[in-house]
Amino acid sequence: MPRRLLPAGSEQQVLSAHGGAATMSSAFQLQCHLVLILLAASKGDTRYIEVRDAGEDEPFLLLSEDLKRELSAGHIYRRSLRCIDMLSIEGQFTFTADQPQLHCATFFIGEPEELLTIEYDFVNIDCQGGDFLKVFDGWILKGEKFPSSLDHPLPTSQRYTDFCESGAVQRSIRSSQNVAMIFFRIHQPGNGFTITVKKSANLFPCNVISQTPSGRFTMIIPHQHRNCSFSIIYPVVIKISDLILGHLNGLFLKNPSVGCAGVGDFVELLGGTGLDPSKMFPLADLCHSFRGSAQMKIGCDNTVLRMVSSGKHINRVTFEYYQLDLQEIENRKENSIEEFCFPAI
């Protein structure tokens, strides 16, 4: 029998799905949607990004002025989900299969200082028939996780919440950072689910994926033994203006004989083409506190600033970043320490 979760209240409405029905199992297509939402976010409308129906080869994003007005008036935003989707706003979202959908995922992203809560409002899937609906605390793309297993407070197995196992026992799942996602497989047309996504404040953001290719951020780890990564999925210039580690001055480029070996608190810059910081190339270490400016051009598809904290100090780093353009790539003689990954651009 299909597994069902009834609505929490009679006022909740189950919406019919719309949009492309083609199953998109390719990790490349997931990456395309990721790039699209981040590109759209760079236009300054990061909270109001909606995926419109489009051909499988030409998905595009609509930044809706009507949506902005509706949300500012306090209305709950509702729409249907596509098999592959991306959301950066709160609201109620429904997926109803119009044909077997076997490889589907929705990515959720908030602002750096936000946590996400995903609530099951209505679920009608056939768990015994091979359907599933799982929430993942973070993102997975092309087999790589963010945050990495080294940076997340939970082991990987505990980052999954499977509706077919937990059912109505756990109707609400909160993320540990500003990103989360759901995976789902539905065989029977007409089956589906409705979820509500809410945001809450995170006083000390740790692991973050930036919605935009430029910005400024201060990461603080207050006497906690943890690692925190800030991911920017663009080639960027990153400028560190303030670093407090509880102990004096130094910036070291990564090589086998120089670095922060034996230092319990440090910041490192990483670059690569994937999502998982633990699989990225280490570019530079910052082992000691300083005030001033340290700048680096990183031409990788993904740039990560990662802070490692022993828990003995209040560690803080302030940095800003902006996307590299072609002119900057050609002119590589500024005050940068060194440039990396330019062949990948």
Side-chain angles (χ1 to χ4, degrees), residues 61-147:
L61 295 164
L62 173 67
L63 304 177
S64 171
E65 293 297 328
D66 292 338
L67 175 58
K68 294 180 189 179
R69 288 192 291 270
E70 180 181 349
L71 294 178
S72 64
H75 296 285
I76 297 175
Y77 177 56
R78 293 181 173 89
R79 79 159 170 84
S80 299
L81 292 176
R82 296 162 57 97
C83 176
I84 302 297
D85 216 334
M86 184 82 67
L87 295 166
S88 65
I89 57 176
E90 297 177 297
Q92 189 177 70
F93 307 98
T94 295
F95 183 85
T96 303
D98 58 0
Q99 65 178 33
Q101 301 281 14
L102 307 182
H103 304 280
C104 298
T106 300
F107 296 81
F108 303 97
I109 185 168
E111 298 295 333
E113 66 281 359
E114 293 176 334
L115 299 176
L116 306 172
T117 298
I118 299 172
E119 299 177 352
Y120 298 130
D121 298 328
F122 173 86
V123 181
N124 178 24
I125 63 175
D126 186 359
C127 294
Q128 294 181 349
D131 292 357
F132 62 76
L133 173 59
K134 300 179 182 181
V135 177
F136 182 72
D137 189 5
W139 277 4
I140 298 180
L141 190 65
K142 299 174 69 175
E144 297 195 6
K145 299 184 293 292
F146 183 92

Coordinates of all heavy atoms in Angstrom, one line a residue, residues 61-147:
L61 N 15.4 31.1 -15.7 CA 14.9 31.6 -14.4 C 14.1 32.9 -14.6 O 14.5 33.8 -15.4 CB 16.0 31.9 -13.5 CG 16.7 30.6 -13.0 CD1 18.1 30.9 -12.4 CD2 15.9 29.8 -12.1
L62 N 13.0 33.1 -13.9 CA 12.3 34.3 -13.9 C 12.4 35.0 -12.6 O 12.1 34.5 -11.6 CB 10.8 34.0 -14.2 CG 9.8 35.1 -14.1 CD1 10.1 36.1 -15.2 CD2 8.4 34.6 -14.2
L63 N 12.8 36.3 -12.6 CA 12.8 37.1 -11.4 C 11.5 37.9 -11.4 O 11.3 38.8 -12.2 CB 14.0 38.0 -11.4 CG 15.3 37.3 -11.6 CD1 16.5 38.3 -11.6 CD2 15.5 36.3 -10.4
S64 N 10.6 37.6 -10.6 CA 9.2 38.1 -10.7 C 9.0 39.2 -9.7 O 9.1 39.1 -8.5 CB 8.2 36.9 -10.3 OG 6.9 37.5 -10.2
E65 N 8.6 40.4 -10.3 CA 8.2 41.6 -9.5 C 6.9 41.3 -8.7 O 6.7 41.7 -7.6 CB 8.1 42.8 -10.4 CG 9.4 43.3 -11.0 CD 10.4 43.7 -10.0 OE1 10.0 44.2 -8.9 OE2 11.6 43.6 -10.2
D66 N 6.0 40.6 -9.4 CA 4.7 40.3 -8.7 C 5.0 39.4 -7.5 O 4.3 39.5 -6.4 CB 3.8 39.5 -9.7 CG 3.3 40.4 -10.8 OD1 3.3 41.7 -10.6 OD2 2.9 39.9 -11.8
L67 N 5.9 38.5 -7.6 CA 6.3 37.6 -6.5 C 6.8 38.4 -5.3 O 6.5 38.2 -4.2 CB 7.3 36.6 -6.9 CG 7.8 35.6 -5.8 CD1 6.7 34.9 -5.1 CD2 8.9 34.7 -6.4
K68 N 7.7 39.4 -5.6 CA 8.2 40.3 -4.6 C 7.1 41.0 -3.8 O 7.1 41.0 -2.6 CB 9.2 41.3 -5.2 CG 10.4 40.7 -5.8 CD 11.3 41.9 -6.4 CE 12.4 41.3 -7.2 NZ 13.2 42.4 -7.7
R69 N 6.2 41.5 -4.6 CA 5.1 42.3 -3.9 C 4.2 41.3 -3.1 O 3.8 41.7 -2.0 CB 4.2 43.0 -5.0 CG 4.9 44.2 -5.6 CD 3.9 45.0 -6.4 NE 3.5 44.2 -7.6 CZ 4.1 44.3 -8.8 NH1 5.2 45.1 -8.9 NH2 3.7 43.6 -9.8
E70 N 4.0 40.1 -3.6 CA 3.2 39.1 -2.9 C 3.8 38.7 -1.6 O 3.2 38.7 -0.5 CB 2.9 37.9 -3.8 CG 2.1 36.8 -3.1 CD 1.9 35.6 -4.0 OE1 2.3 35.7 -5.2 OE2 1.5 34.6 -3.5
L71 N 5.1 38.5 -1.6 CA 5.8 38.1 -0.4 C 5.9 39.2 0.6 O 5.8 39.0 1.8 CB 7.2 37.5 -0.7 CG 7.2 36.3 -1.6 CD1 8.7 35.9 -1.9 CD2 6.5 35.1 -0.9
S72 N 6.1 40.4 0.1 CA 6.2 41.6 1.0 C 4.9 41.8 1.8 O 4.8 42.4 2.8 CB 6.6 42.8 0.3 OG 5.6 43.2 -0.7
A73 N 3.8 41.4 1.2 CA 2.5 41.5 1.8 C 2.2 40.4 2.8 O 1.1 40.4 3.4 CB 1.4 41.6 0.7
G74 N 3.1 39.5 3.0 CA 2.9 38.4 4.0 C 2.2 37.2 3.5 O 1.9 36.3 4.3
H75 N 2.0 37.1 2.2 CA 1.4 35.9 1.6 C 2.4 34.7 1.6 O 3.6 34.9 1.5 CB 0.9 36.1 0.2 CG -0.1 37.2 0.1 ND1 -1.5 37.0 0.4 CD2 -0.1 38.5 -0.3 CE1 -2.1 38.1 0.2 NE2 -1.3 39.0 -0.2
I76 N 1.8 33.5 1.7 CA 2.6 32.3 1.6 C 2.8 31.9 0.2 O 1.8 31.8 -0.6 CB 1.9 31.1 2.4 CG1 1.8 31.4 3.9 CG2 2.7 29.8 2.2 CD1 1.1 30.4 4.7
Y77 N 4.0 31.8 -0.2 CA 4.3 31.5 -1.7 C 4.0 30.0 -1.9 O 4.5 29.2 -1.1 CB 5.7 31.9 -2.0 CG 6.1 31.5 -3.4 CD1 5.4 32.0 -4.5 CD2 7.2 30.7 -3.6 CE1 5.8 31.7 -5.8 CE2 7.6 30.4 -4.9 CZ 6.9 30.9 -6.0 OH 7.3 30.6 -7.3
R78 N 3.3 29.7 -2.9 CA 3.1 28.3 -3.3 C 3.3 28.1 -4.8 O 3.0 28.9 -5.6 CB 1.6 27.9 -3.0 CG 1.2 27.9 -1.6 CD -0.2 27.5 -1.4 NE -0.6 27.3 0.0 CZ -1.0 28.3 0.8 NH1 -1.2 29.5 0.3 NH2 -1.3 28.0 2.1
R79 N 3.9 26.9 -5.1 CA 4.1 26.5 -6.5 C 4.4 25.1 -6.5 O 4.8 24.4 -5.6 CB 5.1 27.4 -7.2 CG 6.5 27.0 -7.0 CD 7.3 27.6 -8.2 NE 8.8 27.5 -8.1 CZ 9.5 26.5 -8.4 NH1 8.9 25.4 -8.7 NH2 10.8 26.5 -8.2
S80 N 4.3 24.5 -7.8 CA 4.7 23.1 -8.0 C 6.2 23.0 -8.2 O 6.9 23.9 -8.6 CB 3.9 22.6 -9.3 OG 2.5 22.7 -9.1
L81 N 6.7 21.8 -7.9 CA 8.1 21.5 -8.1 C 8.3 20.7 -9.4 O 7.4 19.9 -9.9 CB 8.6 20.6 -7.0 CG 8.7 21.2 -5.6 CD1 9.1 20.1 -4.6 CD2 9.7 22.4 -5.6
R82 N 9.4 21.0 -10.0 CA 9.9 20.2 -11.2 C 10.7 19.0 -10.6 O 11.1 18.9 -9.4 CB 10.8 21.0 -12.1 CG 10.1 22.2 -12.8 CD 11.1 23.1 -13.3 NE 12.0 22.5 -14.2 CZ 11.9 22.6 -15.6 NH1 10.8 23.2 -16.1 NH2 12.8 22.1 -16.3
C83 N 11.0 18.0 -11.5 CA 11.7 16.9 -11.1 C 13.1 17.3 -10.6 O 13.6 16.8 -9.6 CB 11.9 15.9 -12.2 SG 12.9 14.4 -11.9
I84 N 13.8 18.2 -11.3 CA 15.0 18.8 -10.9 C 14.7 20.3 -10.6 O 14.3 21.0 -11.5 CB 16.1 18.7 -11.9 CG1 16.4 17.2 -12.2 CG2 17.4 19.4 -11.4 CD1 16.9 16.4 -11.0
D85 N 15.0 20.8 -9.4 CA 14.5 22.2 -9.1 C 15.5 22.8 -8.1 O 16.3 22.1 -7.5 CB 13.1 22.1 -8.5 CG 12.3 23.3 -8.9 OD1 12.9 24.4 -9.2 OD2 11.0 23.2 -8.9
M86 N 15.4 24.1 -8.0 CA 16.2 24.9 -7.1 C 15.4 26.0 -6.5 O 14.6 26.7 -7.2 CB 17.4 25.5 -7.8 CG 18.4 26.3 -7.0 SD 19.5 25.2 -6.2 CE 20.4 24.6 -7.7
L87 N 15.4 26.2 -5.1 CA 14.6 27.2 -4.5 C 15.4 28.0 -3.5 O 16.3 27.4 -2.8 CB 13.5 26.5 -3.7 CG 12.4 25.8 -4.6 CD1 11.6 24.9 -3.7 CD2 11.6 26.8 -5.3
S88 N 15.2 29.3 -3.4 CA 15.8 30.1 -2.4 C 14.9 30.9 -1.6 O 15.2 31.9 -0.9 CB 16.8 31.1 -3.2 OG 16.0 32.0 -4.0
I89 N 13.6 30.5 -1.6 CA 12.6 31.3 -0.9 C 11.7 30.3 0.0 O 11.7 29.1 -0.2 CB 11.6 32.1 -1.8 CG1 11.0 31.1 -2.8 CG2 12.3 33.2 -2.6 CD1 9.9 31.7 -3.7
E90 N 11.1 30.9 1.0 CA 10.2 30.1 1.8 C 8.9 29.9 1.1 O 8.5 30.7 0.2 CB 9.9 30.9 3.1 CG 11.1 31.1 4.0 CD 10.7 31.9 5.3 OE1 10.3 33.1 5.1 OE2 10.8 31.4 6.4
G91 N 8.1 28.9 1.5 CA 6.8 28.7 0.9 C 6.4 27.2 1.0 O 7.1 26.4 1.6
Q92 N 5.3 26.9 0.3 CA 4.8 25.6 0.3 C 4.9 25.0 -1.2 O 4.5 25.7 -2.1 CB 3.3 25.5 0.7 CG 2.7 24.1 0.9 CD 1.3 24.1 1.4 OE1 0.4 24.5 0.6 NE2 1.1 23.7 2.6
F93 N 5.5 23.9 -1.3 CA 5.8 23.3 -2.6 C 5.3 21.9 -2.8 O 5.5 21.1 -1.9 CB 7.3 23.4 -2.8 CG 7.9 24.8 -2.6 CD1 8.5 25.1 -1.3 CD2 7.8 25.7 -3.5 CE1 9.0 26.3 -1.1 CE2 8.3 27.0 -3.3 CZ 8.9 27.3 -2.1
T94 N 4.7 21.6 -4.0 CA 4.1 20.3 -4.2 C 4.7 19.7 -5.5 O 4.9 20.4 -6.5 CB 2.6 20.5 -4.4 OG1 2.0 21.0 -3.2 CG2 1.9 19.2 -4.8
F95 N 4.9 18.4 -5.4 CA 5.2 17.6 -6.5 C 4.2 16.5 -6.7 O 3.9 15.8 -5.8 CB 6.6 17.0 -6.4 CG 7.0 16.2 -7.6 CD1 7.6 16.9 -8.7 CD2 6.8 14.8 -7.7 CE1 8.0 16.2 -9.8 CE2 7.2 14.1 -8.9 CZ 7.8 14.8 -9.9
T96 N 3.6 16.4 -7.9 CA 2.7 15.3 -8.3 C 3.2 14.7 -9.6 O 3.4 15.5 -10.6 CB 1.3 15.9 -8.5 OG1 0.9 16.5 -7.3 CG2 0.3 14.7 -8.8
A97 N 3.5 13.5 -9.6 CA 4.1 12.8 -10.8 C 3.0 12.6 -11.8 O 1.9 12.2 -11.6 CB 4.6 11.4 -10.4
D98 N 3.3 13.0 -13.1 CA 2.4 12.7 -14.2 C 2.9 11.5 -15.0 O 2.3 11.2 -16.0 CB 2.2 14.0 -15.1 CG 3.5 14.5 -15.6 OD1 4.6 13.9 -15.3 OD2 3.5 15.5 -16.3
Q99 N 4.1 11.0 -14.6 CA 4.6 9.8 -15.2 C 5.7 9.3 -14.2 O 6.0 10.0 -13.3 CB 5.3 10.1 -16.6 CG 6.5 11.0 -16.5 CD 7.1 11.2 -17.9 OE1 6.4 11.2 -18.9 NE2 8.4 11.4 -17.9
P100 N 6.2 8.1 -14.3 CA 7.3 7.7 -13.4 C 8.4 8.6 -13.4 O 9.0 9.0 -14.4 CB 7.7 6.3 -14.0 CG 6.4 5.8 -14.7 CD 5.8 7.0 -15.3
Q101 N 8.8 9.1 -12.2 CA 9.9 10.0 -12.0 C 10.9 9.4 -11.1 O 10.7 9.2 -9.9 CB 9.5 11.4 -11.4 CG 8.4 12.1 -12.3 CD 9.1 12.8 -13.5 OE1 10.2 12.6 -13.8 NE2 8.3 13.7 -14.1
L102 N 12.1 9.0 -11.6 CA 13.0 8.0 -10.9 C 14.2 8.7 -10.4 O 14.9 8.1 -9.6 CB 13.3 6.9 -11.8 CG 12.1 6.1 -12.4 CD1 12.7 4.9 -13.3 CD2 11.2 5.6 -11.4
H103 N 14.6 9.9 -10.9 CA 15.9 10.5 -10.4 C 15.6 12.0 -10.2 O 16.0 12.8 -11.0 CB 16.9 10.3 -11.5 CG 17.2 8.8 -11.8 ND1 18.0 8.0 -11.0 CD2 16.8 8.1 -12.9 CE1 18.0 6.8 -11.6 NE2 17.3 6.8 -12.7
C104 N 15.0 12.3 -9.1 CA 14.6 13.7 -8.9 C 15.3 14.3 -7.7 O 15.6 13.6 -6.7 CB 13.1 13.8 -8.8 SG 12.1 13.3 -10.2
A105 N 15.5 15.6 -7.7 CA 16.1 16.3 -6.5 C 15.7 17.8 -6.6 O 15.6 18.4 -7.6 CB 17.6 16.1 -6.6
T106 N 15.6 18.3 -5.4 CA 15.4 19.8 -5.2 C 16.4 20.3 -4.3 O 16.6 19.8 -3.2 CB 14.0 20.1 -4.7 OG1 13.0 19.6 -5.6 CG2 13.8 21.6 -4.5
F107 N 17.1 21.4 -4.7 CA 18.1 22.0 -3.9 C 17.5 23.3 -3.2 O 16.9 24.1 -3.9 CB 19.3 22.4 -4.8 CG 20.0 21.3 -5.4 CD1 19.6 20.7 -6.6 CD2 21.2 20.8 -4.9 CE1 20.2 19.6 -7.1 CE2 21.9 19.8 -5.4 CZ 21.4 19.2 -6.6
F108 N 17.8 23.4 -1.9 CA 17.3 24.6 -1.2 C 18.5 25.4 -0.7 O 19.5 24.8 -0.3 CB 16.5 24.2 0.0 CG 15.3 23.4 -0.3 CD1 15.3 22.0 -0.2 CD2 14.1 23.9 -0.8 CE1 14.2 21.2 -0.6 CE2 13.0 23.1 -1.1 CZ 13.1 21.8 -1.0
I109 N 18.4 26.7 -0.8 CA 19.5 27.6 -0.4 C 19.0 28.8 0.3 O 18.0 29.4 -0.2 CB 20.5 27.9 -1.5 CG1 21.7 28.7 -1.0 CG2 19.8 28.7 -2.6 CD1 22.8 28.9 -2.1
G110 N 19.6 29.2 1.4 CA 19.2 30.5 2.1 C 20.3 31.5 2.1 O 21.4 31.2 1.5
E111 N 20.1 32.6 2.8 CA 21.2 33.5 3.0 C 22.3 32.8 3.9 O 22.0 31.9 4.7 CB 20.7 34.8 3.6 CG 19.7 35.5 2.7 CD 20.4 36.0 1.4 OE1 21.6 36.3 1.4 OE2 19.6 36.2 0.5
P112 N 23.5 33.4 4.0 CA 24.5 32.7 4.8 C 24.1 32.6 6.3 O 24.5 31.6 6.9 CB 25.7 33.7 4.7 CG 25.6 34.3 3.3 CD 24.1 34.4 3.2
E113 N 23.3 33.5 6.8 CA 23.0 33.5 8.2 C 21.6 32.9 8.5 O 21.0 33.0 9.6 CB 22.9 35.0 8.8 CG 21.9 35.8 8.2 CD 22.1 36.4 6.9 OE1 23.2 36.2 6.3 OE2 21.3 37.1 6.3
E114 N 21.2 32.0 7.6 CA 19.9 31.3 7.7 C 20.0 29.8 7.8 O 20.9 29.3 7.1 CB 19.0 31.7 6.6 CG 18.5 33.2 6.6 CD 17.7 33.5 5.4 OE1 17.8 32.9 4.3 OE2 16.9 34.5 5.5
L115 N 19.2 29.2 8.5 CA 19.0 27.7 8.5 C 17.6 27.4 7.9 O 16.7 28.3 7.9 CB 19.0 27.2 10.0 CG 20.3 27.4 10.8 CD1 20.1 26.9 12.2 CD2 21.5 26.7 10.1
L116 N 17.5 26.2 7.3 CA 16.3 25.8 6.6 C 15.6 24.7 7.4 O 16.2 23.8 7.9 CB 16.6 25.4 5.2 CG 17.5 26.3 4.3 CD1 17.9 25.6 3.1 CD2 16.7 27.6 4.0
T117 N 14.3 24.8 7.4 CA 13.4 23.8 8.0 C 12.5 23.3 6.9 O 11.8 24.0 6.2 CB 12.6 24.2 9.2 OG1 13.5 24.7 10.2 CG2 11.7 23.1 9.7
I118 N 12.5 21.9 6.7 CA 11.6 21.3 5.7 C 10.6 20.5 6.5 O 10.9 19.6 7.3 CB 12.4 20.4 4.7 CG1 13.4 21.2 4.0 CG2 11.5 19.7 3.8 CD1 14.4 20.4 3.2
E119 N 9.3 20.8 6.2 CA 8.2 20.1 6.9 C 7.4 19.3 5.9 O 7.0 19.8 4.8 CB 7.3 21.2 7.6 CG 8.0 22.0 8.7 CD 7.1 23.0 9.3 OE1 6.0 23.2 8.8 OE2 7.6 23.6 10.3
Y120 N 7.0 18.1 6.3 CA 6.1 17.3 5.4 C 4.7 17.7 5.8 O 4.2 17.6 6.9 CB 6.2 15.8 5.8 CG 7.6 15.2 5.5 CD1 8.2 14.4 6.5 CD2 8.2 15.3 4.3 CE1 9.5 13.8 6.2 CE2 9.4 14.7 4.0 CZ 10.1 14.0 5.0 OH 11.3 13.4 4.7
D121 N 4.0 18.2 4.7 CA 2.5 18.5 4.9 C 1.6 17.4 4.5 O 0.6 17.1 5.1 CB 2.2 19.8 4.1 CG 3.0 21.0 4.6 OD1 3.2 21.1 5.8 OD2 3.3 21.9 3.8
F122 N 2.0 16.8 3.3 CA 1.2 15.7 2.8 C 2.2 14.8 1.9 O 3.0 15.3 1.1 CB 0.1 16.2 1.9 CG -0.6 15.2 1.1 CD1 -1.7 14.6 1.7 CD2 -0.3 14.9 -0.2 CE1 -2.4 13.6 0.9 CE2 -1.0 13.9 -0.9 CZ -2.0 13.3 -0.3
V123 N 2.1 13.5 2.2 CA 3.0 12.6 1.4 C 2.1 11.4 1.0 O 1.5 10.7 1.8 CB 4.2 12.1 2.2 CG1 5.1 11.2 1.4 CG2 5.0 13.3 2.7
N124 N 2.2 11.1 -0.3 CA 1.5 9.9 -0.8 C 2.4 9.2 -1.8 O 2.4 9.5 -3.0 CB 0.2 10.4 -1.5 CG -0.6 9.2 -2.2 OD1 -0.4 8.0 -1.7 ND2 -1.4 9.4 -3.2
I125 N 3.2 8.3 -1.3 CA 4.2 7.6 -2.1 C 4.1 6.1 -1.7 O 3.6 5.8 -0.6 CB 5.6 8.1 -2.0 CG1 6.1 7.9 -0.5 CG2 5.7 9.6 -2.4 CD1 7.6 8.3 -0.3
D126 N 4.6 5.2 -2.6 CA 4.5 3.8 -2.4 C 5.9 3.3 -2.0 O 6.7 2.9 -2.8 CB 4.0 3.1 -3.6 CG 3.8 1.6 -3.5 OD1 4.1 1.1 -2.3 OD2 3.4 0.9 -4.4
C127 N 6.2 3.3 -0.7 CA 7.5 2.9 -0.2 C 7.8 1.5 -0.5 O 8.9 1.1 -0.9 CB 7.6 3.1 1.3 SG 7.5 4.9 1.8
Q128 N 6.8 0.6 -0.4 CA 7.0 -0.8 -0.7 C 7.2 -1.1 -2.2 O 7.8 -2.1 -2.5 CB 5.9 -1.6 -0.1 CG 5.7 -1.6 1.4 CD 4.6 -2.5 1.9 OE1 3.7 -2.9 1.1 NE2 4.5 -2.7 3.2
G129 N 6.7 -0.2 -3.0 CA 6.9 -0.3 -4.4 C 8.2 0.3 -5.0 O 8.3 0.4 -6.2
G130 N 9.0 0.8 -4.1 CA 10.3 1.4 -4.6 C 10.4 2.9 -4.5 O 11.4 3.5 -4.9
D131 N 9.3 3.6 -4.2 CA 9.3 5.0 -4.0 C 10.2 5.4 -2.8 O 10.3 4.6 -1.9 CB 7.9 5.6 -3.9 CG 7.1 5.5 -5.1 OD1 7.6 5.0 -6.1 OD2 5.9 5.9 -5.1
F132 N 10.7 6.6 -2.8 CA 11.3 7.2 -1.6 C 11.3 8.7 -1.7 O 11.1 9.3 -2.7 CB 12.8 6.7 -1.4 CG 13.7 7.1 -2.5 CD1 14.2 8.4 -2.6 CD2 14.1 6.1 -3.5 CE1 15.1 8.7 -3.6 CE2 15.0 6.5 -4.5 CZ 15.5 7.8 -4.6
L133 N 11.4 9.3 -0.5 CA 11.5 10.7 -0.3 C 12.5 10.9 0.9 O 12.2 10.6 2.0 CB 10.2 11.3 0.1 CG 10.1 12.8 0.5 CD1 10.7 13.7 -0.6 CD2 8.7 13.2 0.9
K134 N 13.7 11.5 0.6 CA 14.7 11.7 1.6 C 15.2 13.1 1.6 O 15.3 13.8 0.6 CB 15.9 10.8 1.2 CG 15.7 9.3 1.1 CD 16.9 8.5 0.8 CE 16.6 7.0 0.7 NZ 17.8 6.2 0.3
V135 N 15.4 13.6 2.8 CA 16.0 14.9 3.0 C 17.5 14.7 3.3 O 17.8 13.8 4.1 CB 15.3 15.7 4.2 CG1 16.0 17.0 4.4 CG2 13.8 15.9 3.9
F136 N 18.3 15.6 2.7 CA 19.8 15.5 3.0 C 20.2 16.8 3.6 O 19.9 17.9 3.1 CB 20.6 15.2 1.8 CG 22.1 15.1 2.0 CD1 22.6 14.0 2.7 CD2 22.9 16.1 1.6 CE1 24.0 13.9 3.0 CE2 24.3 16.0 1.9 CZ 24.8 14.9 2.5
D137 N 21.0 16.8 4.7 CA 21.4 18.0 5.4 C 22.7 18.5 4.7 O 23.8 18.1 5.1 CB 21.7 17.6 6.9 CG 22.0 18.9 7.7 OD1 21.9 20.0 7.2 OD2 22.4 18.7 8.9
G138 N 22.5 19.3 3.7 CA 23.6 19.8 2.8 C 23.2 19.6 1.4 O 22.0 19.4 1.0
W139 N 24.2 19.6 0.5 CA 24.0 19.3 -0.9 C 24.9 18.2 -1.3 O 26.0 18.0 -0.8 CB 24.4 20.6 -1.7 CG 23.3 21.6 -1.8 CD1 22.1 21.6 -1.3 CD2 23.4 22.8 -2.6 NE1 21.4 22.7 -1.6 CE2 22.2 23.5 -2.5 CE3 24.4 23.4 -3.4 CZ2 21.9 24.7 -3.1 CZ3 24.1 24.6 -4.1 CH2 22.9 25.2 -3.9
I140 N 24.5 17.4 -2.3 CA 25.3 16.4 -3.0 C 25.2 16.7 -4.5 O 24.1 16.9 -5.0 CB 24.8 15.0 -2.7 CG1 24.9 14.7 -1.2 CG2 25.7 14.0 -3.5 CD1 24.5 13.3 -0.9
L141 N 26.3 16.9 -5.1 CA 26.4 17.1 -6.6 C 27.5 16.4 -7.2 O 28.7 16.5 -6.7 CB 26.6 18.6 -6.8 CG 26.4 19.2 -8.2 CD1 25.0 19.0 -8.7 CD2 26.8 20.6 -8.3
K142 N 27.2 15.6 -8.2 CA 28.2 14.7 -8.8 C 29.0 13.9 -7.8 O 30.2 13.7 -7.9 CB 29.2 15.6 -9.6 CG 28.5 16.4 -10.7 CD 29.5 17.4 -11.4 CE 30.5 16.6 -12.3 NZ 31.3 17.6 -13.0
G143 N 28.3 13.4 -6.8 CA 28.9 12.5 -5.9 C 29.7 13.2 -4.8 O 30.2 12.5 -3.9
E144 N 29.7 14.5 -4.8 CA 30.5 15.2 -3.7 C 29.5 16.0 -2.8 O 28.5 16.5 -3.2 CB 31.5 16.2 -4.4 CG 32.5 15.5 -5.2 CD 33.7 16.5 -5.5 OE1 33.7 17.6 -5.0 OE2 34.6 16.0 -6.3
K145 N 29.9 16.0 -1.5 CA 29.0 16.6 -0.5 C 29.5 17.9 0.0 O 30.7 18.2 0.0 CB 29.0 15.6 0.7 CG 28.4 14.3 0.4 CD 28.3 13.4 1.7 CE 29.7 13.1 2.3 NZ 30.4 12.2 1.5
F146 N 28.5 18.8 0.3 CA 28.8 20.0 1.1 C 27.8 20.1 2.2 O 26.6 20.0 1.9 CB 28.8 21.3 0.2 CG 29.2 22.5 1.0 CD1 30.5 23.0 1.0 CD2 28.2 23.2 1.7 CE1 30.8 24.1 1.7 CE2 28.6 24.3 2.5 CZ 29.9 24.8 2.5
P147 N 28.2 20.4 3.4 CA 29.6 20.4 3.9 C 30.3 19.0 3.7 O 29.6 18.0 3.7 CB 29.5 20.8 5.3 CG 28.2 21.4 5.5 CD 27.3 20.7 4.5

